[in-house]
Amino acid sequence: MQGLMQDWPLLCTKVIDHAAEHHGRREVVSRSVEGPMHRTTYAEVRRRALRLASRLVRDGITPGERIATMAWNTWRHLECWYGIVGAGAVYHTLNPRLFPDQIAWIMNDADDRMIFADLTFVPLIEALVPKLSGLRRVVVLCERENLPDSTLDLVAYEDYLAEGDEDFSWVAVAEGDAAGMCYTSGTTGMPKGVVYSHRSNVLHSLIAIQPDAMNLSSRDRVMPVVPLFHANGWGIAFSAPMVGASLVMPGPKLDGASIGTLLREERVTFSAAVPTIWLALLQHLEASGSDLPDLRRVVIGGAACPRVVTEAFETRYGVEVVHAWGMTELSPLGTLNVMSADTADLSRNDQLALKQKQGRAPFGVEMRIVGDDGAELPRDGRTFGRLMVKGPAIATAYHGHGDVLDKDGWFDTGDVAHIDPDGFMQITDRAKDVIKSGGEWISSIDLENLAVGHPAVAEAAVIGVAHDRWGERPLLVVVRKPSCDVSRDELLRFLDGRVARWWMPDDVVFVDEIPHTATGKIQKTTLRDRFRDYRLPAA
Ligand code: ADP
């Protein structure tokens, strides 16, 4: 028997249609690249996206073609996403912090037809263009009078929009058609293109707004500090308008002081970013003595959130921390750490400890851990194995590559994790970063989190270094805070008793800087290369 229900396609354009119709006056506030604050509304964003879509069609853009963006989070970037999907095309976000050769490779792999870019990136695009085969037009996100002199035939976004027609209907597409594209940042290999569909983006947003996930509503003022180019912008470009939450876009300034000012002046209630951003904000708040009167919740993910960050937000500033885990391939949300009915009554201290974990799977994400033989492992909170996931917003393949799912349809995340009986998952490592000592696994993430708990430590990384007897042993690499002094022995004493004896790092080295990837994560491959021949004291 068939269900007798309407076939209502899950399209990204329906999200902005809904936002404009039912939350049309809600604001989209941006710090623009040119400097001043810009204020618009969902109704206006939709009108301009319609203009853009019509103009793209007039330019000969056909459904499924990729259009790149290289831009900070602003209202114009948001309009681009909706204008591009509204023309039936595919938004492809580029991370400007990658090496130019890598960007050129990615743009050719994606076969980008056009690019919409912020003013600041014009010199970079001038260098890229000779290496690109399919690019037909460069549009700069500015007014004509701000267009720079260039070797390229640049078009100002505002002129381009003015030639469009807001009396336009979105180009018809099916919900399974591609809407967006984002390359993995290549922390562990060559970047690979993840292709989101309209359906996966809409379902991902429905998953994200749930109370036990991001818990968004029209009363929220949402600031995505995470750039739209990082892992599908964590889906916020769809989830915020879906519920009619106002958006506060931080533009290019992501330092602690700039973020702190926006949070206060724009009365932001919800924000999301990687731990490094929050560490910088907390340092700014401490130094300036200011507070966060309106902020109620922050989602922290992309890398493990150290306990000191959770503790500072929750106890000093009264902000709830939602530790989350995700990947570009998951659209990107996988799990979120929100207390359940079984854990809501735990003591403050036990909750803080629990929040070190990456959290529970919302409806729409299935997960399990498996051993080397592929058999499922117990959910006892101790046994760790490869984390496998399934869901309607999880990739089946990469652009230009075959299906990557296993025979039962599971996606292997490449992360190593354990799951406790309450369903809280904890990442212990990336499979490639885990330290194998005498056949047992040591979690580099656990050691790093403990080390940054020392007041003199600004950043810490733990890598495996060759050892004659044990195969590999942990080496702790530390950046000290400015004008703080701490010795190797002091740090080892600090860790002693907080981890199993055999997990204790064999040595500590101090460095001026730890290398980061383009998304702000510790670049373990570079660190491992640098310390490849390091001789541990006991070895
Ligand atoms: P890349 O894989 O290129 O770094 P992603 O941004 O997609 O790009 O990174 C996803 C990976 O980041 C995950 O597979 C996991 O290893 C790591 N990660 C994400 N969130 C967390 C978290 N909360 N704790 C620990 N690791 C995390």
Side-chain angles (χ1 to χ4, degrees), residues 184-187 230 301-304 323-329 358 415 427 430 445 521:
T184 61
S185 65
T187 309
H230 181 201
H323 188 191
W325 163 83
M327 301 176 73
T328 307
E329 291 90 331
Q358 280 73 4
D415 284 330
I427 301 279
R430 286 207 167 185
I445 296 182
K521 300 183 193 188

Side-chain angles (χ1 to χ4, degrees), residues 3 62 88 100 132 153 165 172 222 232 273-274 303 336 341 366 394 397 404 459 537:
T62 54
L132 304 176
D153 187 14
D165 179 6
V222 172
N232 206 22
V274 295
L336 299 105
E366 284 181 65
I394 295 172
V404 295
E459 198 175 16

Side-chain angles (χ1 to χ4, degrees), residues 442-457:
I442 297 175
S443 161
S444 64
I445 296 182
D446 279 3
L447 290 172
E448 287 157 7
N449 281 342
L450 281 171
V452 293
H454 189 284
V457 174

Side-chain angles (χ1 to χ4, degrees), residues 27-212:
E27 275 191 311
V28 177
V29 186
S30 313
R31 183 180 268 140
S32 70
V33 174
E34 293 96 321
M37 293 302 290
H38 178 276
R39 310 189 92 85
T40 181
T41 62
Y42 281 130
E44 186 62 14
V45 165
R46 177 174 179 272
R47 275 195 289 274
R48 285 166 49 98
L50 279 163
R51 277 182 183 274
L52 178 58
S54 75
R55 185 66 189 83
L56 287 170
V57 170
R58 189 129 64 81
D59 236 349
I61 292 297
T62 54
E65 283 190 311
R66 269 75 68 196
I67 299 182
T69 64
M70 192 188 280
W72 299 110
N73 291 3
T74 67
W75 82 104
R76 287 188 178 121
H77 198 174
L78 185 72
E79 289 166 3
C80 284
W81 276 33
Y82 283 106
I84 291 167
V85 296
V90 181
Y91 65 84
H92 169 207
T93 50
L94 291 167
N95 184 341
R97 298 186 190 121
L98 294 174
F99 290 119
D101 276 347
Q102 215 172 13
I103 300 177
W105 183 88
I106 287 174
M107 291 184 76
N108 284 327
D109 189 61
D111 198 16
D112 292 328
R113 284 285 167 266
M114 286 179 59
I115 182 167
F116 287 82
D118 274 335
L119 263 175
T120 23
F121 302 124
V122 169
L124 174 56
I125 291 166
E126 285 172 342
L128 290 173
V129 162
K131 298 178 189 154
L132 304 176
S133 42
L135 198 76
R136 295 205 298 253
R137 202 191 263 286
V138 180
V139 180
V140 185
L141 296 168
C142 67
E143 307 272 359
R144 186 188 310 167
E145 58 261 33
N146 291 334
L147 266 189
D149 288 334
S150 171
T151 51
L152 303 174
D153 187 14
L154 302 176
V155 179
Y157 177 74
E158 293 300 335
D159 286 351
Y160 195 70
L161 270 198
E163 292 161 5
D165 179 6
E166 67 187 45
D167 197 16
F168 179 75
S169 303
W170 305 121
V171 170
V173 290
E175 64 174 25
D177 288 345
M181 198 169 181
C182 182
Y183 278 68
T184 61
S185 65
T187 309
T188 57
M190 266 319 259
K192 292 187 287 281
V194 177
V195 185
Y196 309 109
S197 63
H198 283 262
R199 174 186 156 83
S200 70
N201 272 336
V202 171
L203 288 174
H204 179 265
S205 302
L206 287 168
I207 294 169
I209 62 178
Q210 296 180 72
D212 275 3

Side-chain angles (χ1 to χ4, degrees), residues 292-344:
L292 300 167
D294 299 288
L295 191 63
R296 286 191 287 128
R297 212 169 332 110
V298 286
V299 171
I300 306 184
C305 176
R307 183 179 163 128
V308 280
V309 171
T310 312
E311 209 163 347
F313 267 121
E314 299 208 336
T315 51
R316 216 170 310 148
Y317 301 103
V319 176
E320 181 194 355
V321 168
V322 178
H323 188 191
W325 163 83
M327 301 176 73
T328 307
E329 291 90 331
L330 273 61
S331 294
L333 290 180
T335 57
L336 299 105
N337 195 327
V338 177
M339 290 304 111
S340 63
D342 297 322
T343 58

Side-chain angles (χ1 to χ4, degrees), residues 210-388:
Q210 296 180 72
D212 275 3
M214 287 186 169
N215 190 10
L216 296 179
S217 84
S218 66
R219 274 91 60 207
D220 278 307
R221 290 176 68 80
V222 172
M223 177 155 82
V225 181
V226 54
L228 288 176
F229 57 75
H230 181 201
N232 206 22
W234 297 9
I236 293 173
F238 302 114
S239 49
M242 181 177 271
V243 296
S246 292
L247 272 172
V248 179
M249 304 290 239
K253 290 196 179 154
L254 305 182
D255 59 284
S258 305
I259 294 300
T261 305
L262 268 192
L263 287 171
R264 275 187 305 278
E265 289 184 355
E266 292 301 334
R267 305 188 328 280
V268 171
T269 62
F270 173 95
S271 187
V274 295
T276 37
I277 295 280
W278 298 125
L279 275 167
L281 173 76
L282 290 169
Q283 277 166 21
H284 158 76
L285 293 176
E286 210 171 301
S288 62
S290 44
D291 59 358
L292 300 167
D294 299 288
L295 191 63
R296 286 191 287 128
R297 212 169 332 110
V298 286
V299 171
I300 306 184
C305 176
R307 183 179 163 128
V308 280
V309 171
T310 312
E311 209 163 347
F313 267 121
E314 299 208 336
T315 51
R316 216 170 310 148
Y317 301 103
V319 176
E320 181 194 355
V321 168
V322 178
H323 188 191
W325 163 83
M327 301 176 73
T328 307
E329 291 90 331
L330 273 61
S331 294
L333 290 180
T335 57
L336 299 105
N337 195 327
V338 177
M339 290 304 111
S340 63
D342 297 322
T343 58
D345 297 329
L346 288 177
S347 71
R348 198 69 217 110
N349 206 40
D350 289 347
Q351 284 197 358
L352 276 173
L354 184 58
K355 284 187 177 213
Q356 287 289 103
K357 300 190 178 190
Q358 280 73 4
R360 297 180 288 132
F363 177 78
V365 177
E366 284 181 65
M367 65 177 179
R368 65 178 200 173
I369 44 167
V370 300
D372 287 340
D373 57 359
E376 186 170 358
L377 295 170
R379 299 179 178 223
D380 58 11
R382 284 191 312 273
T383 313
F384 40 100
R386 286 183 89 98
L387 180 60
M388 315 289 285

